[in-house]
Amino acid sequence: MTEQESIEGIQSAAKRREEAESERKSATADLRRYCAFAKDAGVSITQIAKEAGLSRQGVYDLLAGPV
């Protein structure tokens, strides 16, 4: 692999990582919002946790974050 190919690979990976981080933040905000909706609708924290693939504490932590 040449120096230029290595640099291009680094740049490509860095861009993909940045895009993935942006998508993760967006998905986390969506998950937080829907968990809050479910809680307000009377869904138990246990059920929310099960559906979200989180622990109950994880749901509480998620709901305590910024809206």
Side-chain angles (χ1 to χ4, degrees):
M1 180 174 286
T2 67
E3 182 178 323
Q4 184 60 35
E5 289 170 333
S6 297
I7 296 299
E8 289 171 1
I10 290 169
Q11 291 169 341
S12 175
K15 182 178 179 182
R16 288 187 0 252
R17 184 176 185 214
E18 184 178 321
E19 291 168 352
E21 180 62 26
S22 176
E23 178 61 25
R24 180 179 173 86
K25 286 179 182 179
S26 176
T28 298
D30 288 347
L31 182 59
R32 180 179 297 115
R33 187 172 63 254
Y34 284 112
C35 286
F37 290 155
K39 183 176 179 270
D40 292 346
V43 179
S44 72
I45 294 296
T46 301
Q47 182 66 29
I48 294 170
K50 179 182 174 189
E51 299 302 329
L54 298 170
S55 66
R56 288 181 301 131
Q57 186 60 51
V59 173
Y60 288 120
D61 292 345
L62 182 70
L63 292 173
V67 178

